[in-house]
Amino acid sequence: MADPLVSEALKKAAVAWVSVDGGPALALWCLPIDDALYVVSGPGEQAAPGLAYADEARVSLRGDHGGRIVTWSAEVTRIDPRSEEWTAVVPQLAGKRLNAPGSATALAERWAAECSVNRLAPAGDPEPPGDASEAAPPRESPAARPARRPFRLHRVRGARP
């Protein structure tokens, strides 16, 4: 049984911030079913590097106001396309997939062939709330350039006497 805060946050989750192996947290659309989140990743879907073969991940759920509600460790399980869980979960996922090309059946077949469907189940207690905003520091970029003086169409002179 998951922590009550995690269970309540899971029920309303549509997007989860997922970090694998200490990497950056990525916003992934998800579907909550039975105290777990299901995430699809792969070609033609959202990119989640490392998630398909990970054993655990760090999941952060946020509220409508954008603030963090809870962060927890998740046990990651890849769903086998031949399993009963696949038959129960994937039609629900396909139905919630926005702007999906083709029918839900075609989408499920493509996922079975090319993508990964993962179950993220809570493992242990949630992390205690901290004072940190979890904002990442700006990355180094060669795109920065010095500011130039603004262009002026005409020269402004002082007032005449």
Side-chain angles (χ1 to χ4, degrees), residues 10-157:
L10 277 172
K11 290 178 186 176
K12 298 179 181 188
V15 174
W17 291 83
V18 180
S19 172
V20 178
D21 293 332
L26 302 171
L28 303 175
W29 74 269
C30 57
L31 180 66
I33 302 173
D34 298 333
D35 284 338
L37 294 177
Y38 288 86
V39 176
V40 180
S41 61
E45 299 299 327
Q46 57 197 350
L51 185 62
Y53 299 103
D55 293 327
E56 59 184 38
R58 183 174 179 260
V59 179
S60 184
L61 299 176
R62 300 182 182 276
D64 294 337
H65 60 290
R68 179 173 60 124
I69 296 174
V70 65
T71 301
W72 43 278
S73 293
E75 178 184 340
V76 180
T77 309
R78 187 171 181 167
I79 308 303
D80 184 11
R82 298 175 302 267
S83 69
E84 291 179 20
E85 187 175 12
W86 180 278
T87 350
V89 169
V90 168
Q92 295 178 57
L93 269 170
K96 293 290 182 175
R97 168 70 162 82
L98 298 177
N99 303 322
S103 67
T105 307
L107 187 61
E109 289 172 0
R110 185 172 65 81
W111 287 350
E114 302 173 359
C115 297
S116 168
V117 177
N118 292 324
R119 179 179 193 265
L120 307 176
D125 294 329
E127 294 179 12
D131 295 332
S133 69
E134 292 190 349
R139 288 183 264 169
E140 292 292 324
S141 171
R145 62 178 187 203
R148 294 184 2 204
R149 291 181 53 155
F151 172 77
R152 288 191 184 178
L153 186 60
H154 61 280
R155 185 173 170 155
V156 179
R157 298 182 185 182

